[in-house]
Amino acid sequence: NFHRRCHQHSKSVALVKGTILGGQPRSTYAGLMTERHFNWLADLAIVAAVMVIAVIVLSPSGSIWAGGSVGRHLSSQETWIVHGVLFVGLGFLVAVRLTAADRTTATYAKLTLALVLLALLGGLAESAQLEIASRSASYGDWAADTIGAAFGLWLGAISARPLMLRITRNSIAAS
């Protein structure tokens, strides 16, 4: 039992030093996701989420893409919900990716920086709406973006650690 634990420890040390996680040759394992695959999918999901936010937030008011139907405008409460939900999802994805990069829970400094950047993204989206005739910028929408991002970052930070442990275990088991 002691020798088996030592062997497992040496596998995990090798894993952290580069056999699987550090860029050395990796193979695909049936039914197992390596950290490299997870990181790639997380990056792709973040890019897709930003694109979805851009399309929804920058579409003319009343369009299908903006959450309405032709001739119907969303109320301010409905737009706050849409903005909040969009940024909860983005914040969650960013926190999961930060956790994957650290291989542990993301640090408060990184999460704080991510919140500032997501708040800036929300502010940019709101100021870009000034150029769209049927849209208007709103501090309330920006606040919903920021609050949604903060909640998403928190949710992602607390739920990503168990997911990363599972992926690391899968990578170790496959080696």
Side-chain angles (χ1 to χ4, degrees), residues 17-154:
K17 287 188 176 177
T19 3
I20 292 177
L21 301 181
Q24 297 299 322
R26 296 176 177 98
S27 29
T28 56
Y29 311 108
L32 300 177
M33 180 183 292
T34 64
E35 186 173 333
R36 178 176 146 204
H37 295 115
F38 179 82
N39 290 342
W40 184 83
L41 286 172
D43 291 342
L44 185 63
I46 290 170
V47 170
V50 169
M51 291 173 64
V52 165
I53 288 172
V55 167
I56 290 174
V57 171
L58 299 178
S59 292
S61 182
S63 70
I64 300 298
W65 294 110
S69 59
V70 177
R72 180 182 180 269
H73 295 282
L74 298 177
S75 70
S76 61
Q77 290 84 7
E78 289 172 328
T79 60
W80 292 343
I81 291 170
V82 169
H83 281 261
V85 168
L86 289 172
F87 276 82
V88 164
L90 182 59
F92 178 84
L93 292 171
V94 168
V96 168
R97 182 60 177 96
L98 288 173
T99 300
D102 288 347
R103 296 185 188 104
T104 61
T105 305
T107 62
Y108 288 112
K110 287 184 180 183
L111 291 172
T112 302
L113 178 61
L115 179 59
V116 169
L117 293 175
L118 290 174
L120 285 174
L121 177 65
L124 286 172
E126 286 304 309
S127 53
Q129 288 181 4
L130 293 172
E131 300 299 318
I132 302 170
S134 62
R135 300 299 293 252
S136 62
S138 161
Y139 287 116
D141 290 350
W142 189 16
D145 296 343
T146 305
I147 292 167
F151 183 69
L153 286 167
W154 173 78

Side-chain angles (χ1 to χ4, degrees), residues 7-8 10-39 100 103 162-175:
H7 182 66
Q8 286 175 341
S10 66
K11 278 186 179 180
S12 60
V13 169
L15 178 74
V16 172
K17 287 188 176 177
T19 3
I20 292 177
L21 301 181
Q24 297 299 322
R26 296 176 177 98
S27 29
T28 56
Y29 311 108
L32 300 177
M33 180 183 292
T34 64
E35 186 173 333
R36 178 176 146 204
H37 295 115
F38 179 82
N39 290 342
R103 296 185 188 104
L163 178 63
M164 289 312 302
L165 288 173
R166 173 187 275 167
I167 290 171
T168 303
R169 267 189 259 124
N170 287 346
S171 296
I172 290 170
S175 63

